[in-house]
Amino acid sequence: MARQATVDGEWWRAAVAYQIYPRSFADSNGDGVGDLPGIIDHLDHLAGRPDSLGVDAIWLSPIYPSPGLDGGYDVADHAGVDPLFGTMADFDRLVGEAHRRGLKVLLDLVLNHTSDRHAWFQESRRSRDNPRADWYVWHDPAGWSRRRPVPPNNWLSFFGGSAWEWEPARGQFYLHTFLPQQPDVNWREPAAAEAQLAMVRGWLARGVDGFRLDVFNALLKDPELRSNPRRWQLSRRPWDRQWHVYDKDRPDFPALIARFRAVVDEAPGRMSVGELFAGDLSQAAAYTNGHHLVFDFGLLERPWSAEAIGREIDRREAAFGPDRWPAVVLSNHDRSRHVSRFLRDLGRDDEATADRVARAAAVLLLTLRGTPFLYYGEELGLPDIRVARVAIMDPPARRAGFFFPWWNRDQCRSPMPWAAGPGAGFTNGRPWLPLSPDHDRRNVASEAADPGSVQNAYRRLLAVRRGSAALERGSFTRLATGSRDVLAYERRSGAERAVVAINFALEPRDLTPPAGSWSVRYSTNEPDGAAVAPFGPGSRRLAGLEAVILANAESASR
Ligand code: GLC
């Protein structure tokens, strides 16, 4: 099988990854917070059985010991497991159970910063001459004004305010691109860099299959700490009124990432994907290389519009070219869930439209060229939850306020609903965030029993994708459709061709496929439609929000 050939080496090209936010996936001990045994209990949902979703890898958002001021992205010990989530033995069991089901396990590496509770920082902050004194970015004040120290430069925290925090014990400032409790590691200090890479080797030795790298393009800063130039931009966020040229994306960064990747390559068949932080498409493409994927968020930032998404895809294809492999993502733990965003674009808030747009968006996500990353719950069509301002749990959102682009990330982190009833099968206790109000209907068990559910649409679609080299690894060509509401493209691998067409409108639109003989491999509107149905000559009507995958005769007879 074509798929088999990619299983070792570059398995991740054809793979579908699934992001788990561990706090919100499944709680095994009733404390209201998800944990590793909970994940193990639910691996069958993802892979290994005929009725599993059928994904290839899981990415776990941070599981390390952490004070939890940034949902675990404030790491107090990169080499451990937070007791909130379980033990290292649970982790080893999780890796074993995942592998038994053919699932790879990806960890989230937060290499840019640590928690201020990390032992390295505790030591570093004590004095200017301790063994770890230079493991973080420290600097003298630029001067004093009214008896207060002045920060070394104009850099800002992405979460609001100055990026510099004063440490009286050293009489110096330290840098924090995020919360003051998240000091930035100094990657220019060889011992600090070595210690981080040793930690990476430790996880590889435990059998981890790869990593997602948090804000990876920020790892290196300007060694001279020059101030960022002013950017004339009408924005209420001071962050947007600077060009971030000195606090990230330094010219020597690609060499550092190559060094990191060489460590990953010491263990064969592992993958890595970098999270592009506040960067543009050309940077994402430039940092992508044969081995290393990069998330750019262009698609995630576009509205539900065939034209807008089509343009973004064109830009992406041009930037990446045929040789670089993109990552595709519509939702994650930082942004409003895509069903909710797209419903807002459509001016609708009813459940039926939510299901339809979720199914159509799934076709986009799973058939574009690149490795798709699903976000837990999207396979149910899970919407954002509403969390009142006073009830916000996410400290960065509280600090950054309403103009923060990731305002209130609690909205996209609600517990996974597994079944109807109190606790939704997520917990026997009180969930750490509210459950989605429609969890009695929109949950894994109910959707499994409903052939027309979003979950079953994902399952069928993933199966179609798995059977198709064109969809998994084929070339990409956009097709003209003659309609502003229909996006269409062709994927091709050898003689196998697949045409994908998505109607973004609520009303029907005509579709004229390219010349040839086509059959419908998949339609969002036919619950058992994986069967190969003929596609009549000329044009066919696509129902509102319908998406189809057509296959040519050669592929149909495979
Ligand atoms: C990344 C994470 C986000 C976190 C930030 C700082 O962008 O996705 O959740 O707050 O890094 O670590």
Side-chain angles (χ1 to χ4, degrees):
M1 279 293 287
R3 184 181 175 75
Q4 214 45 43
T6 64
V7 161
D8 299 315
E10 302 200 331
W11 58 270
W12 42 268
R13 281 181 188 259
V16 175
Y18 181 102
Q19 179 186 359
I20 290 178
Y21 194 68
R23 274 178 172 65
S24 300
F25 200 61
D27 169 24
S28 71
N29 62 3
D31 65 359
V33 180
D35 47 44
L36 300 183
I39 297 175
I40 296 170
D41 290 345
H42 289 89
L43 286 175
D44 284 343
H45 171 62
L46 301 174
R49 291 184 12 173
D51 60 348
S52 302
L53 209 50
V55 296
D56 305 288
I58 50 175
W59 146 30
L60 305 175
S61 279
I63 55 166
Y64 320 105
S66 162
L69 294 180
D70 183 12
Y73 286 88
D74 47 329
V75 178
D77 172 11
H78 288 94
V81 171
D82 196 311
L84 189 65
F85 298 133
T87 62
M88 196 54 95
D90 292 328
F91 180 75
D92 289 340
R93 199 158 62 83
L94 169 57
V95 173
E97 289 291 326
H99 286 172
R100 209 161 60 74
R101 293 167 174 82
L103 266 180
K104 310 273 189 184
V105 179
L106 314 177
L107 285 187
D108 206 320
L109 283 183
V110 189
L111 301 175
N112 179 67
H113 44 270
T114 68
S115 160
D116 60 350
R117 307 281 178 82
H118 197 295
W120 297 349
F121 188 71
Q122 295 287 323
E123 187 173 359
S124 188
R125 81 187 313 175
R126 268 208 295 272
S127 65
R128 295 182 186 208
D129 55 8
N130 67 73
R132 295 202 168 88
D134 296 328
W135 283 36
Y136 292 81
V137 183
W138 292 99
H139 207 272
D140 293 337
W144 291 79
S145 162
R146 296 202 198 121
R147 300 220 190 135
R148 296 175 73 102
V150 178
N153 65 22
N154 71 353
W155 294 357
L156 297 171
S157 158
F158 186 70
F159 289 154
S162 168
W164 295 97
E165 187 79 4
W166 181 246
E167 172 53 70
R170 287 182 57 138
Q172 282 186 315
F173 284 97
Y174 66 85
L175 179 71
H176 59 91
T177 303
F178 296 94
L179 293 174
Q181 296 87 352
Q182 292 171 294
D184 282 44
V185 172
N186 179 12
W187 273 88
R188 298 190 182 281
E189 165 61 29
E194 273 314 317
Q196 300 250 53
L197 296 176
M199 173 270 289
V200 173
R201 288 192 176 95
W203 287 115
L204 289 170
R206 282 213 111 83
V208 162
D209 301 286
F211 304 100
R212 177 259 189 192
L213 305 184
D214 192 58
V215 298
F216 84 129
N217 52 321
L219 298 187
L220 289 179
K221 334 296 183 211
D222 178 37
E224 295 165 38
L225 303 181
R226 281 170 283 186
S227 277
N228 283 326
R230 163 112 216 216
R231 179 182 188 186
W232 298 99
Q233 167 112 342
L234 279 179
S235 165
R236 291 192 198 247
R237 281 185 81 215
W239 169 273
D240 297 333
R241 299 198 297 264
Q242 290 188 357
W243 293 106
H244 292 274
V245 287
Y246 292 122
D247 51 356
K248 59 183 194 65
D249 297 298
R250 299 310 301 150
D252 48 351
F253 170 66
L256 175 63
I257 214 61
R259 192 168 150 216
F260 165 83
R261 187 59 228 201
V263 169
V264 175
D265 283 332
E266 289 168 10
R270 315 294 165 104
M271 74 163 284
S272 57
V273 54
E275 181 209 23
L276 189 73
F277 169 55
D280 64 22
L281 185 57
S282 61
Q283 288 165 325
Y287 296 143
T288 301
N289 63 40
H291 283 297
H292 181 68
L293 294 171
V294 179
F295 289 136
D296 85 272
F297 296 121
L299 268 181
L300 185 152
E301 285 162 356
R302 297 287 83 80
W304 183 252
S305 140
E307 286 182 320
I309 289 190
R311 264 195 308 274
E312 186 62 34
I313 295 170
D314 292 345
R315 289 181 57 227
R316 165 187 285 221
E317 286 295 316
F320 277 73
D323 299 330
R324 291 192 163 103
W325 194 250
V328 189
V329 47
L330 291 180
S331 286
N332 66 26
H333 64 292
D334 290 328
R335 321 281 185 116
S336 169
R337 284 178 176 273
H338 66 255
V339 170
S340 297
R341 297 197 318 263
F342 295 155
L343 277 176
R344 281 194 292 274
D345 297 334
L346 286 163
R348 291 288 185 99
D349 62 3
D350 59 291
E351 301 239 323
T353 311
D355 284 4
R356 287 160 70 204
V357 79
R359 287 193 294 257
V363 172
L364 180 72
L365 179 61
L366 290 165
T367 63
L368 285 176
R369 191 175 72 93
T371 301
F373 285 76
L374 313 185
Y375 181 53
Y376 84 95
E378 74 167 67
E379 75 275 32
L380 305 174
L382 202 66
D384 287 341
I385 50 165
R386 256 178 222 154
V387 179
R389 199 172 182 137
V390 290
I392 290 179
M393 303 286 286
D394 184 27
R398 285 207 299 265
R399 175 187 167 97
F402 191 68
F403 296 107
F404 181 44
W406 300 345
W407 165 246
N408 195 355
R409 295 179 296 181
D410 293 347
Q411 66 185 356
C412 62
R413 297 176 177 176
S414 74
M416 179 79 167
W418 294 99
F426 166 75
T427 184
N428 295 326
R430 195 170 170 266
W432 77 285
L433 273 178
L435 293 161
S436 168
D438 59 356
H439 70 266
D440 266 346
R441 184 183 84 76
R442 205 178 280 287
N443 62 63
V444 174
S446 313
E447 291 203 22
D450 169 5
S453 68
V454 176
Q455 181 177 220
N456 276 316
Y458 267 81
R459 184 175 293 126
R460 287 190 293 115
L461 184 53
L462 281 157
V464 168
R465 184 188 147 94
R466 243 187 333 274
S468 162
L471 291 176
E472 286 189 334
R473 284 174 296 108
S475 62
F476 179 95
T477 314
R478 257 245 278 162
L479 303 174
T481 65
S483 163
R484 356 181 349 195
D485 294 319
V486 179
L487 176 74
Y489 43 87
E490 178 174 336
R491 305 288 314 278
R492 189 190 282 231
S493 169
E496 190 200 337
R497 299 168 66 187
V499 165
V500 178
I502 303 167
N503 177 10
F504 281 66
L506 289 163
E507 305 78 29
R509 293 286 183 272
D510 287 337
L511 170 71
T512 310
S517 147
W518 299 96
S519 54
V520 181
R521 247 300 151 87
Y522 174 84
S523 160
T524 50
N525 287 24
E526 292 161 30
D528 352 294
V532 178
F535 192 90
S539 70
R540 175 198 196 263
R541 293 226 103 184
L542 288 179
L545 296 177
E546 183 181 12
V548 293
I549 302 174
L550 311 179
N552 64 339
E554 284 87 336
S555 352
S557 60
R558 274 158 26 105

